């Protein structure tokens, strides 16, 4: 099963190309060395169910990790994208009925309905993005989230050093924990190098509406913002058109915006997926929270290379980034996780 409702928004084709380059880049940084399946052992059947196109930042990271595991011979992989929340339980059932052994995806908008499906298929493992904790009453459902606050904090340090006015605009999808914590971490990082920074925060009420995100960003620029936090697609387009800087989120879009995107906090889903595959192989998969595998010390997130901005970021900021990154990986410094809704300050 593979639902493809191609969108007409400008840039979707290039973003699919960006996704493929992301897979190549992931392989170059170690995904290609994933353990191959044992001789004679069939790949584990995996299905992905996504409510947005696979180009969307968050989902793309899951998709890339699954493609890499497929290339390594660990899994077979099929997926459905643009699945409406109202259809999500039905698609879950169809995949489970087909014999798929692991279903990955995100159930933020269909939490309870998804759990009802999980109970009907105890022999299927479910690894799903969720705002709720793991629950032993659903023993075959493990949850995860993108806890990449470590990388977001580091990107904030760079942003604080690059803004000239100290006015920073932040455009997000929805004010939910998985977005809020990244924004708060970014803001904390900014304060390290620009203590007097001011933030304008806005949410567009959509996970994939580049035109609305762009319009919101334009309004912020008109209000004096000279650097944007691009939690959604469309924000960097506005920054590029107006000649200001942007900080990326979850994926690296520096190649697409070489004069705009200074740095990006990158999410690596590979550690999360590999942990799940190992537990399934060992027969130990259960109701767990896999969120910790997104932490920097677990290899779940990183700061993207500066690319064309190499040599343009003040050395003092880079030194602080290196110091904080080492402390995070050593466990001597912990970036605060704040899931409350951020406000303009």
């Amino acid at each position: 099963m593979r639902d493809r409702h191609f969108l007409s928004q400008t840039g979707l084709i290039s973003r699919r190309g960006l996704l493929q380059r992301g897979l190549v880049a992931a392989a170059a940084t170690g995904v290609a060395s994933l353990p191959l399946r044992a001789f004679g052992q069939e790949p584990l059947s995996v299905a992905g169910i996504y409510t947005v196109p696979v180009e969307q930042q968050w989902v793309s990271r899951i998709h890339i990790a699954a493609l890499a595991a497929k290339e390594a011979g660990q899994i077979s992989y099929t997926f459905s994208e643009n699945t409406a929340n109202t259809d999500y339980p039905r698609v879950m059932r169809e995949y489970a009925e087909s014999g798929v052994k692991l279903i990955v995806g995100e159930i933020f908008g269909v939490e309870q309905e998804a759990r009802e499906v999980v109970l009907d298929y105890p022999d299927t493992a479910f690894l799903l993005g969720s705002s709720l904790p793991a629950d032993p009453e659903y023993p075959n459902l493990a949850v995860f989230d993108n806890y990449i606050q470590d990388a977001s904090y580091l990107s904030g340090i760079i942003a604080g050093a690059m803004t000239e006015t100290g006015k920073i605009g932040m455009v997000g999808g929805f004010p939910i924990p998985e977005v809020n914590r990244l924004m708060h971490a970014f803001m904390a990082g900014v304060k390290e190098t620009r203590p007097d920074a001011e933030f304008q925060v806005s949410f567009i009420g959509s996970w994939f509406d580049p035109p609305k995100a762009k319009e919101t960003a334009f309004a912020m620029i008109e209000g004096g913002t000279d650097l944007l936090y691009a939690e959604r697609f469309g924000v960097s387009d506005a920054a590029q058109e107006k000649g200001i800087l942007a900080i990326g989120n979850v994926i690296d879009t520096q190649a697409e915006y070489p004069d705009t995107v200074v740095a990006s906090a990158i999410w690596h889903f590979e550690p999360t997926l590999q942990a799940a595959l190992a537990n399934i192989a060992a027969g130990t998969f259960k109701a767990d929270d896999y969120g910790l595998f997104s932490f920097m010390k677990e290899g779940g997130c990183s700061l993207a290379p500066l690319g064309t901005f190499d040599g343009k970021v003040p050395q003092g900021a880079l030194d602080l980034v290196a110091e904080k990154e080492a402390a995070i990986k050593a466990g001597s410094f912990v970036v605060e996780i704040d899931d409350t809704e951020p406000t303009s300050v």
Side-chain angles (χ1 to χ4, degrees):
M1 184 197 316
R2 185 175 176 182
D3 299 330
R4 284 195 170 276
H5 307 297
F6 289 102
L7 302 184
S8 60
Q9 286 98 331
T10 301
L12 184 56
I13 294 177
S14 66
R15 285 173 184 137
R16 198 166 289 262
L18 175 65
L19 184 64
Q20 295 305 318
R21 289 199 297 276
L23 176 58
V24 173
T29 56
V31 177
S33 62
L34 293 175
L36 295 175
R37 60 189 173 90
F39 180 76
Q41 179 182 346
E42 288 297 317
L44 186 78
S45 56
V46 176
I49 310 175
Y50 311 120
T51 61
V52 294
V54 291
E55 290 82 10
Q56 190 262 6
Q57 295 104 305
W58 196 88
V59 161
S60 73
R61 308 312 295 176
I62 304 173
H63 186 61
I64 285 173
L67 289 175
K70 178 182 177 180
E71 287 295 315
Q74 294 179 302
I75 67 173
S76 61
Y77 174 58
T78 186
F79 66 94
S80 297
E81 56 185 345
N82 296 316
T83 303
N85 282 326
T86 52
D87 287 337
Y88 209 95
R90 174 187 61 80
V91 178
M92 288 175 66
R93 290 184 184 279
E94 289 180 357
Y95 275 128
E97 292 285 352
S98 73
V100 165
K101 296 303 181 184
L102 171 64
I103 294 177
V104 299
E106 13 95 33
I107 56 172
F108 300 105
V110 62
E111 297 277 11
Q112 189 51 49
E113 295 90 338
R115 284 168 171 74
E116 293 172 3
V117 174
V118 164
L119 289 178
D120 290 339
Y121 300 95
D123 294 330
T124 304
F126 295 84
L127 178 64
L128 302 171
S130 170
S131 294
L132 302 180
D135 187 339
E137 292 189 11
Y138 306 94
N140 55 326
L141 170 61
V143 298
F144 67 87
D145 209 342
N146 60 322
Y147 284 88
I148 64 169
Q149 65 282 342
D150 299 329
S152 296
Y153 169 81
L154 297 182
S155 72
I157 292 175
I158 292 175
M162 295 299 286
T163 177
E164 295 181 1
T165 66
K167 294 182 178 181
I168 295 176
M170 306 181 69
V171 182
F174 293 92
I176 61 174
E178 30 285 327
V179 174
N180 297 343
R181 71 177 66 109
L182 306 188
M183 285 188 165
H184 279 296
F186 171 79
M187 294 163 78
V190 169
K191 290 290 187 177
E192 294 283 5
T193 47
R194 189 65 185 255
D196 64 341
E198 298 176 5
F199 301 93
Q200 186 174 351
V201 181
S202 184
F203 297 93
I204 64 172
S206 172
W207 290 130
F208 196 79
D209 191 343
K212 189 172 183 179
K214 186 176 181 180
E215 179 184 348
T216 302
F218 276 148
M220 291 181 173
I221 296 170
E222 291 176 3
T225 287
D226 78 335
L227 188 145
L228 290 165
Y229 176 77
E231 200 271 327
R232 291 294 97 197
F233 274 143
V235 178
S236 294
D237 294 301
Q240 181 174 249
E241 288 188 24
K242 295 298 183 179
I244 70 169
L245 302 178
I247 298 294
N249 178 60
V250 176
I251 63 175
D252 183 6
T253 57
Q254 223 275 328
E256 298 294 306
Y257 307 94
D259 299 319
T260 303
V261 175
V262 183
S264 298
I266 308 301
W267 181 32
H268 305 290
F269 190 70
E270 287 77 14
T272 302
L273 180 59
Q274 289 301 308
L277 294 179
N279 284 332
I280 291 172
T284 57
F285 187 89
K286 58 184 177 63
D288 274 330
D289 187 341
Y290 282 63
L292 66 89
F293 292 105
S294 291
F295 283 41
M296 182 169 283
K297 63 182 180 180
E298 300 293 338
C301 67
S302 68
L303 194 63
L306 295 177
T308 55
F309 281 88
D310 190 20
K312 299 178 183 179
V313 177
Q315 189 59 45
L318 297 180
D319 291 343
L320 183 57
V321 166
E323 175 189 331
K324 293 294 187 180
E325 181 176 358
I328 289 170
K329 291 180 177 179
S332 58
F333 177 72
V334 177
V335 176
E336 180 183 3
I337 298 175
D338 185 350
D339 288 347
T340 63
E341 181 176 344
T343 57
S344 299
V345 291

